[in-house]
Amino acid sequence: MNNPVVLARSIAVTALGNDLDGLWQGLLDGRRGIAALDRFSCANYISALGGCIDGLAAAPGSLFQALLERVAEQLGPLPQDCRLLVASTKGEVDLLQQQRGDLRPELLFENLLATIAARLGLSDRGMNINAACASSTVAVARAAALIAAGQAEAVLVFAADVLSEFVFSGFSALQALSAQPCRPFDRQRNGLNLGEAGVALLLLSADRARREGLAPLATVRGWGVANDAFHVTAPARDGRGLIRACQQALQQAEINPEQVAAVNAHGTATVYNDAMELTAFAAVFDGRIPPLHGIKGSIGHCLGAAGGVEIAIAARSLLEQRIPGTVGCATPEELAGDAISTAVRAISGDYLLCSNSGFGGINGVVILGRGAL
C-alpha cells in the first residue's frame, strides 16, 4: 500500500455507556444495554425491547443531533483539511415521522450534512453513505481508499442512527424482532433487538499521523465490498457476497486467512443472517473459523452505525489481544465449532476481520492490523 492508513481516534456512544471505555468494559463484563423501551408505545409490535442510550430521549431537538453533540464533545479539534463521510440509514427520522407527510426542506439529509460539518468544525460538508446495515463499514472502506490513493490525508467517519418508532415498526412488520434479549449465533435464536449508537473514527495516512504526533490505535490493512444480489431483505444462503468481500479484503491486506486472529461478526441473531455468516466464514477459513464474536447481544443492532462501533471494538481487541464474549449465545450453531463463546478469550495475532451485511445483499469487510506500521 503506497499510503498506509491508520485509525488515529475513535469515539463511541452506545446503550452501554457514553464513551468507548464504558462500552469496552461493559462487553468484557458481559452486560446488556437492552431493556424495556419507554421512548414510544410498543403495544402494537412483536417486541418491547431495545438498546437505548441513557438520557438521549430527554435532550431537546432531534435525537440524532443530541447524539451528534455527545460524540462531538469527546472528539476535540480535527485537522482543517479533514474530509467527512457520514454513515446513517435514517438520519433525523424522529423529526421526519412527526411531519406525517409534510416534509420540510430543512429536514433533508443535505442540510443535516451541513449541520454535522459545522458542529465538527469541518469545511467539507461531505456525503452520506447509506448501505443499509453495512453503512459505516463501507464508509471506513471508502475513507481508507481515499487515503491509500493519495486523495486525502485525513478522513472522519461519523456514523449514527437512533432507535425510532418508524424503524422499529418496520422491523416488527418484517417479523425480525425478538421479544426476548437476542441470542446471536445460538441454535435457538429467533430475531434481533434494535439499538442506537453514535461513532466517530478518524483515519489518517501514516505520515500524517506521525506529523500530528498521534499513535495509531490500529492500521486499516484491507477492505472489501460486495453485493450478493439475492433478495431485498434476506441474505444469500451460501454467503457468496460475504465470501467475495472477505476475499477482497484479504487480498488488499496481502495476508492469508490463517493470519486472521479473530473475527468480529455482524451477528444479528436472525435465523438466516447468522447461518449465512457461519457458512461464509467456514468457506473463507477452510472450515477452521478463528475465534469469533458479536456484540449485538449487548447493545442491539445499531443499523448504519453498527460497523463503526464494531471497528472501534476490534481495534481495542487487537491492542489488548482479547475479544469479549458473545452475550446470549448459550448453545452455538454446530457449524461454529468452538469459535464462539460467552466468555472473554485471549487471541494471538496481528489481524482482525470485521464484517457487516445489510438489506439489499450488501456486504462490507474491513481488516485491521495491530499497532503501528
Side-chain angles (χ1 to χ4, degrees):
M1 190 183 300
N2 294 332
N3 295 296
V5 183
V6 303
L7 174 62
R9 202 179 303 169
S10 61
I11 307 293
V13 179
T14 70
L16 277 182
N18 200 49
D19 55 32
L20 185 57
D21 288 340
L23 169 60
W24 177 248
Q25 191 59 53
L27 293 174
L28 294 179
D29 294 342
R31 292 195 288 113
R32 285 188 188 268
I34 297 166
L37 288 168
D38 59 7
R39 186 172 291 175
F40 47 82
S41 172
C42 296
N44 295 322
Y45 307 129
I46 64 174
S47 176
L49 298 178
C52 285
I53 295 168
D54 187 40
L56 193 68
S62 76
L63 297 175
F64 189 98
Q65 291 198 34
L67 191 49
L68 167 64
E69 187 61 30
R70 290 201 186 188
V71 173
E73 287 172 350
Q74 300 178 58
L75 188 55
L78 295 166
Q80 288 299 304
D81 60 343
C82 187
R83 303 277 294 274
L84 174 64
L85 291 178
V86 175
S88 179
T89 63
K90 289 294 181 284
E92 293 182 294
V93 67
D94 54 314
L95 293 186
L96 288 170
Q97 70 186 25
Q98 296 170 19
Q99 302 308 304
R100 301 187 183 280
D102 182 19
L103 179 60
R104 301 202 312 268
E106 61 267 26
L107 294 181
L108 296 176
F109 220 107
E110 180 183 1
N111 296 296
L112 182 56
L113 286 172
T115 298
I116 295 168
R119 178 60 187 88
L120 299 178
L122 298 176
S123 57
D124 178 23
R125 290 175 57 165
M127 62 180 293
N128 182 56
I129 293 179
N130 187 337
C133 300
S135 295
S136 46
T137 310
V138 174
V140 168
R142 172 67 173 161
L146 286 170
I147 294 170
Q151 297 179 20
E153 288 191 341
V155 183
L156 181 78
V157 174
F158 174 77
D161 265 316
V162 298
L163 205 170
S164 67
E165 186 173 8
F166 177 86
V167 172
F168 196 87
S169 65
F171 275 87
S172 180
L174 287 170
Q175 302 289 303
L177 299 178
S178 174
Q180 295 83 39
C182 67
R183 294 171 285 187
F185 299 110
D186 191 273
R187 297 183 191 185
Q188 301 302 314
R189 66 191 181 279
N190 64 353
L192 59 84
N193 303 135
L194 286 173
E196 60 189 2
V199 189
L201 303 172
L202 178 61
L203 276 64
L204 301 175
S205 68
D207 286 343
R208 183 62 177 269
R210 283 190 286 268
R211 296 202 305 271
E212 297 280 348
L214 295 173
L217 302 174
T219 56
V220 184
R221 301 301 296 264
W223 50 89
V225 178
N227 193 301
D228 59 43
F230 176 73
H231 190 270
V232 174
T233 60
R237 305 292 174 85
D238 61 4
R240 58 181 178 265
L242 181 54
I243 291 170
R244 179 59 181 148
C246 287
Q247 291 171 339
Q248 290 175 1
L250 289 164
Q251 183 177 6
Q252 174 80 23
E254 298 182 329
I255 63 171
N256 298 316
E258 295 79 14
Q259 293 176 263
V260 174
V263 173
N264 186 309
H266 194 49
T268 63
T270 58
V271 172
Y272 295 124
N273 175 87
D274 289 11
M276 178 279 289
E277 283 196 274
L278 292 177
T279 298
F281 293 136
V284 170
F285 295 104
D286 195 23
R288 297 181 293 276
I289 302 175
L292 179 152
H293 78 117
I295 67 173
K296 292 181 177 66
S298 296
I299 62 172
H301 189 339
C302 300
L303 303 176
V309 175
E310 290 155 15
I311 286 169
I313 289 300
R316 183 66 67 92
S317 294
L318 277 174
L319 178 67
E320 298 194 10
Q321 289 288 281
R322 55 179 174 166
I323 58 172
T326 300
V327 170
C329 186
T331 310
E333 276 281 5
E334 183 177 357
L335 188 57
D338 59 359
I340 302 174
S341 172
T342 56
V344 177
R345 285 172 296 166
I347 61 173
S348 178
D350 295 329
Y351 304 100
L352 197 151
L353 184 149
C354 296
S355 74
N356 292 95
S357 301
F359 285 171
I362 302 169
N363 299 275
V365 171
V366 167
I367 294 177
L368 297 184
R370 185 182 181 189
L373 291 162

